[in-house]
Amino acid sequence: NAGVMQNPRHLVRRRGQEARLRCSPMKGHSHVYWYRQLPEEGLKFMVYLQKENIIDESGMPKERFSAEFPKEGPSILRIQQVVRGDSAAYFCASSPRPGWADTQYFGPGTRLTVL
Amino acid sequence: GQQLNQSPQSMFIQEGEDVSMNCTSSSIFNTWLWYKQDPGEGPVLLIALYKAGELTSNGRLTAQFGITRKDSFLNISASIPSDVGIYFCAGQMGDYGGSQGNLIFGKGTKLSVKP
C-alpha cells in the first residue's frame, strides 16, 4: 500500500508565477489536510478537504491560495502570483476518517522556493 | 491562533543519555501526538495519547498526556545516533472521531546526538 505521494518534491518559481502542488492520498483515504512549514517552524494547518468539498479552510490565506480535491485525481494546492514569503515546505496528510488524528499520514512534502 | 509551546528548542546529548522534551498550551486538547521529522521528509507519528493522565510507551519512547490536558512530555531513553531529527508535538482540539481533524503543531525540538 503506497503512502501519501506529493509532487513535485521541489518547485522553483519566480515571483508572480503560479505554483501547483499535488497530493495523492493513501488508497482508501478520502480526507486530505494541507499544512505549511516555514523554516525553523512547526507545521501550520491550511485546509481540510473531502472528495469534491472544502470542509475547513480557516488556515488558508484569503488571497492567491486555493485548494481542490476532485472526484478523480489528486488534491491540488494552487498558489497564484507567488511571492518570496510563500517559500516553504507544503505537506499534505490523508486520513480514512475525519477527526482521527492518529490516522493522518503525511506525505514527503513539496519544497517551494520563490526567487 | 492556538499555539503549542515546545521546549527545549534544541539539545545536544551524548549517546546513551536520556532525553526529555515537553509541550504546553493555554488551551485544552483532546488528543496529543508526538512526531519525528527527518530532513527532507514529512512527519512520522511516534506516539498518540487520548486520555488525560495516559502514559504510553513505544520502544525507548515514553509520552504522557497531562492531567490538565494542556501539556504533554516525551522521553527518549538511551539515545542512539538515529534518534537525530526534529521532534514535534501536536494537538487536536476536536473530539477524537469528530468532524474536525486539523492538528496544531509545536515549533519542534531539534535533537543532535554526539556519537
Side-chain angles (χ1 to χ4, degrees):
Chain A
N1 187 13
V4 178
M5 300 177 69
Q6 290 187 248
N7 66 81
R9 294 290 305 269
H10 299 273
L11 182 61
V12 179
R13 285 288 178 265
R14 296 192 180 277
R15 281 179 296 169
Q17 292 183 319
E18 179 180 286
R20 279 185 182 240
L21 288 62
R22 288 177 289 278
C23 169
S24 296
M26 288 181 70
K27 187 176 180 181
H29 288 193
S30 58
H31 302 265
V32 166
Y33 302 81
W34 284 94
Y35 294 83
R36 177 165 63 176
Q37 184 178 33
L38 296 171
E40 310 297 322
E41 296 282 327
L43 282 70
K44 292 268 193 316
F45 167 75
M46 299 180 75
V47 61
Y48 161 41
L49 310 103
Q50 294 178 23
K51 285 281 188 182
E52 300 184 276
N53 287 304
I54 296 175
I55 307 301
D56 181 356
E57 55 182 348
S58 58
M60 286 277 269
K62 293 287 184 279
E63 297 176 347
R64 303 188 297 109
F65 284 72
S66 62
E68 62 177 15
F69 189 14
K71 187 176 180 182
E72 301 290 337
S75 175
I76 307 284
L77 180 68
R78 182 181 177 209
I79 312 172
Q80 295 178 289
Q81 299 176 326
V82 296
V83 300
R84 289 231 173 96
D86 296 333
S87 295
Y90 292 83
F91 293 94
C92 78
S94 73
S95 172
R97 293 277 194 279
W100 289 16
D102 55 349
T103 64
Q104 280 189 36
Y105 292 91
F106 284 84
T110 294
R111 276 137 191 92
L112 172 66
T113 301
V114 179
L115 301 178
Chain B
Q2 303 298 333
Q3 284 190 324
L4 292 183
N5 300 307
Q6 188 171 348
S7 64
Q9 283 187 314
S10 63
M11 50 196 316
F12 291 86
I13 61 167
Q14 199 75 28
E15 184 177 352
E17 286 182 347
D18 296 344
V19 172
S20 187
M21 59 192 79
N22 68 78
C23 218
T24 60
S25 170
S26 58
S27 302
I28 288 174
F29 286 90
N30 287 322
T31 306
W32 281 91
L33 307 104
W34 286 92
Y35 291 85
K36 180 174 184 262
Q37 185 179 29
D38 291 325
E41 298 295 330
V44 174
L45 181 65
L46 299 173
I47 291 181
L49 301 154
Y50 308 96
K51 287 168 47 178
E54 180 181 352
L55 185 71
T56 297
S57 293
N58 178 7
R60 293 180 294 106
L61 277 60
T62 302
Q64 183 155 31
F65 192 146
I67 290 290
T68 63
R69 293 162 64 195
K70 293 182 178 181
D71 63 312
S72 177
F73 73 75
L74 174 71
N75 286 343
I76 305 173
S77 62
S79 56
I80 58 177
S82 62
D83 289 336
V84 163
I86 303 178
Y87 292 78
F88 291 98
C89 62
Q92 179 182 320
M93 299 186 79
D95 293 335
Y96 184 79
S99 61
Q100 294 297 326
N102 51 296
L103 300 175
I104 297 169
F105 281 80
K107 290 192 174 184
T109 294
K110 187 173 183 179
L111 187 61
S112 302
V113 178
K114 299 175 188 176

